[in-house]
Each structure stands twice: as structure tokens, then as C-alpha cells.
Amino acid sequence: MIKVGIIGVSGYAGAELLRLLLNHDEVKVVSIEARSYQGQPISDLYPSFYQVCDMICESDEDVLQKAELIFASLPHGLSEKYAKYCDENNKKFIDLGADFRLDSEQDYQEWYKLDYHEKALHDKQVYGLSEVNREKIKTATLIGNPGCYPTSITLGLYPLLKEKLNLNKHIIIDSKSGTTGAGKSLSEDTHFPKCNESFHPYKLGTHRHTPEIEQELSKMANDDIQVTFTPHLLPVNRGIVSTIYVDLKPEVSLDDVYQIYQNYYSQEYFVRVLPKGKIADLKFVKYSNFCDISLHLDERYHRLIIVSTIDNMVKGAAGQAIQNMNIMYGLEETKGLKMVPPSF
């Protein structure tokens, strides 16, 4: 039984971690932390846990002492000290925040306005995109869990870039997310009167996931990939739809692309390449760890349109973190994650 602790359980991703881990038969959640709710049961904050899990929120020191694997679901800039403790005490650490996603400190400084304080730790970090970095994850002790937008985008593009089917290095990405992606802190954009019955882009050209997306796509392509990434806020609780536009090489057909995606993902339980003619829809991945991908061709310009959908709280956060845990411990990768999305 893996003794697990969660630091930051009061946030949406932290609460989702707890919800999913309670159904994992190889895990015992031994301690949870929520600084603003210390001494209170988690069911006071999230009534859905009432009489299912009434664990008391403890201190971060309690979590670090009691658990052998620590999940941190915190704002950027707060995870390094916990990762350092785990590194020094032979514990595993999975960070759902942004502190261990970027290879370059310069990128972190530019986009997050912070420095790396424990620089040696970043040589040990493994980017936790489960389907792509599985072999590295198996032996890792420090995982930087991918962002939600990057997960939908990188899985959507991986086979195409790996096989160099793209005509040029610039890719246009149009992504839409439910409001949970913004976290619990209320902002003008997520305030109900503003976001209800609304749909709008935000952080045009400045979203912090941009360097992460370019970093991982460039690795896949073994070339310098640039993206124009525009996120939008959907008036729904959860889910991401990424629509990706790529010019194909003239000799590459949609049938070629479809076959390559099938070859790459046919053995991947959580990535579903939909039949030709079907369109991926966030409704049918909600509450699940699936990434649904559909492939389409704009024949006028020989441009591939990829639609990639995930639940931002599961495959885009807590579910992928648990998938990474399963890989790290040599468990069946789907354990605790085989929930079927609702049909309506």
C-alpha cells in the first residue's frame, strides 16, 4: 500500500486528487494539507466527501512526515522546498504546479517572474506526460505534471511531429477551457455574471503555458517549433477543447495521418483516436482520464485540423498525476482511473 499525502488539497486539483485516490486500491491517503483550513475536516470544505472521507486537514509537516509519496497542488513558486525535502528523505514527489515543467530557468524567469532556488533539483525533474515519457517516469523520483492546455495539445500533435508530417514549424492552436482551469481564486473573468453566457479569449500571446507547449513540441519534432496559442474561457465547470491547425506536407494524406495516429495510440488506453468523420467533444471525456482526438482535413489548403479534448481536472491534472504514480510504482497504469465518462 502506497502511503500518499496531498499538500494543497483545498484547491480544485487537490480535491480531485483526493476524490480519485479514494478509489485506488493500492493507495492509502495518510495526510492532507490545506493551510487555510487546518484542523477542519475536508468534508466541511467539499460536502461531497461527507461520511466518505472526513479526514482533518493537517500541516505540511504532517504530510511530509507521514507519506512516502507527496502530491503538491500549489501555485507556482511554492513547491521547491517540498521537493527538496522529498529528495533528501528518499520520498517521491509529484508537482501539479508549474515549478518543475520548464527545462530553462530563463523561461521560468521570463514567464513566471521567479528564479529557481534549488537548481540541482531541476536536473532530476521528469516531465510527466505519461504516454510520451513513460520510460523516464518509471525511474523518476521528481515529476513535473504537465499543464492542462499542454496535455491536450502535445498529445494531439505528438505522432504528427514525431513523424515530421508538418510542412512548417509554426502551428496555430485555439484552446477553450472550463472555469476550473483558473483555480479557486475569483477573478473578474470567472465571476459568474461575467462568464455566464459568455465565451471569450484571454491572455492573447501571453499565456504562461506557451513556453511549456513550445518546449515539449520542439522535443517531439527534434526541431524548433513555434506556436500561436490563444486560450478561451468557456462558461462550463470543466473540460478543454484544443483545435490545432497544421499545414501538411503535400505528399501526406489524411488517411496517412490517421494510420500513423492509430499506430502510435492503439495501445494507449487513455488516448482515443476517434473514427474518421467523428468530432471530439468535451462532454464525452468529462470526469475521465481520456484524451479524445479527431482528425480532419481542410482540402482547400491541405491543412490538418486536430481536435483534442480532455477533462482539465483529470487528464489535465489529478488523473495524469495518478497515472504517473502508477508508472513510478510499477502498477497497472489504469489503476484507479478506469471511470467511464457520462453520456449526457
Side-chain angles (χ1 to χ4, degrees):
M1 204 55 101
I2 306 167
K3 296 179 180 178
V4 166
I6 303 171
I7 295 175
V9 75
S10 59
Y12 290 142
E16 193 77 345
L17 262 173
L18 181 59
R19 180 180 76 88
L20 295 173
L21 288 169
L22 290 174
N23 292 306
H24 196 300
D25 60 13
E26 297 282 348
V27 164
K28 179 176 177 59
V29 180
V30 294
S31 185
I32 57 175
E33 182 271 351
R35 181 166 300 177
S36 299
Y37 300 91
Q38 190 169 336
Q40 296 179 238
I42 187 64
S43 53
D44 275 3
L45 178 59
Y46 291 107
S48 57
F49 289 116
Y50 181 62
Q51 292 188 352
V52 176
C53 176
D54 294 302
M55 291 182 70
I56 303 298
C57 295
E58 299 184 295
S59 69
D60 52 4
E61 291 88 353
D62 290 321
V63 175
L64 293 172
Q65 289 293 323
K66 293 179 180 180
E68 63 184 270
L69 167 67
I70 288 88
F71 292 98
S73 182
L74 299 167
H76 64 274
L78 299 178
S79 291
E80 278 186 307
K81 65 178 181 179
Y82 300 119
K84 182 180 180 182
Y85 176 89
C86 291
D87 184 60
E88 292 174 344
N89 290 274
N90 198 32
K91 296 174 185 278
K92 298 182 191 295
F93 185 76
I94 298 178
D95 184 27
L96 278 73
D99 291 354
F100 294 99
R101 293 174 183 165
L102 296 178
D103 297 335
S104 165
E105 182 178 8
Q106 183 177 347
D107 284 343
Y108 189 69
Q109 291 166 336
E110 178 182 350
W111 291 85
Y112 289 91
K113 311 305 179 188
L114 292 172
D115 298 322
Y116 288 162
H117 299 293
E118 304 294 340
K119 299 182 192 298
L121 278 179
H122 294 273
D123 294 330
K124 299 180 179 183
Q125 70 191 44
V126 171
Y127 188 74
L129 188 62
S130 306
E131 285 77 11
V132 175
N133 293 331
R134 183 176 287 112
E135 293 306 311
K136 292 180 180 179
I137 294 166
K138 286 179 181 179
T139 57
T141 57
L142 171 55
I143 297 288
N145 214 57
C148 51
Y149 282 129
T151 296
S152 68
I153 292 161
T154 51
L155 288 176
L157 283 165
Y158 177 51
L160 181 130
L161 294 180
K162 196 72 175 175
E163 296 297 324
K164 301 186 182 302
L165 306 180
N166 51 308
L167 183 62
N168 50 49
K169 301 178 184 180
H170 183 251
I171 296 173
I172 296 173
I173 303 164
D174 186 34
S175 293
K176 309 91 181 167
S177 175
T179 58
T180 49
K184 285 186 69 177
S185 297
L186 190 63
S187 69
E188 180 67 23
D189 278 351
T190 58
H191 192 52
F192 181 80
K194 174 73 180 290
C195 71
N196 183 48
E197 297 187 33
S198 172
F199 175 54
H200 62 90
Y202 66 100
K203 294 183 180 177
L204 286 82
T206 63
H207 196 282
R208 285 171 170 166
H209 283 169
T210 302
E212 181 184 346
I213 294 164
E214 291 186 335
Q215 167 187 287
E216 295 306 312
L217 295 183
S218 296
K219 289 179 187 177
M220 293 170 177
N222 195 28
D223 202 350
D224 184 25
I225 299 294
Q226 300 94 34
V227 303
T228 298
F229 170 56
T230 304
H232 299 68
L233 188 67
L234 284 171
V236 299
N237 287 344
R238 54 168 76 208
I240 282 178
V241 179
S242 289
T243 309
I244 306 165
Y245 305 90
V246 188
D247 291 330
L248 288 177
K249 290 181 176 178
E251 68 275 15
V252 178
S253 70
L254 180 60
D255 286 341
D256 295 333
V257 175
Y258 187 80
Q259 188 58 56
I260 286 167
Y261 272 69
Q262 288 286 359
N263 293 345
Y264 269 74
Y265 287 137
S266 62
Q267 301 304 310
E268 296 291 350
Y269 182 84
F270 291 121
V271 181
R272 305 190 295 191
V273 181
L274 301 187
K276 282 181 282 187
K278 299 292 185 181
I279 302 174
D281 185 328
L282 68 79
K283 179 182 286 291
F284 305 116
V285 295
K286 282 177 65 176
Y287 302 102
S288 82
N289 201 52
F290 288 115
C291 173
D292 282 1
I293 296 171
S294 61
L295 302 167
H296 316 270
L297 185 67
D298 182 342
E299 295 182 1
R300 296 176 303 158
Y301 304 112
H302 202 59
R303 182 170 295 137
L304 183 69
I305 303 171
I306 304 165
V307 183
S308 178
T309 62
I310 62 170
D311 185 311
N312 59 303
M313 288 287 103
V314 188
K315 186 59 172 171
Q320 185 157 224
I322 293 169
Q323 188 178 352
N324 286 327
M325 177 196 72
N326 288 340
I327 296 169
M328 293 166 81
Y329 281 90
L331 302 175
E332 181 186 347
E333 202 164 317
T334 59
K335 190 170 281 291
L337 294 170
K338 278 193 168 182
M339 66 288 291
V340 177
S343 298
F344 48 85

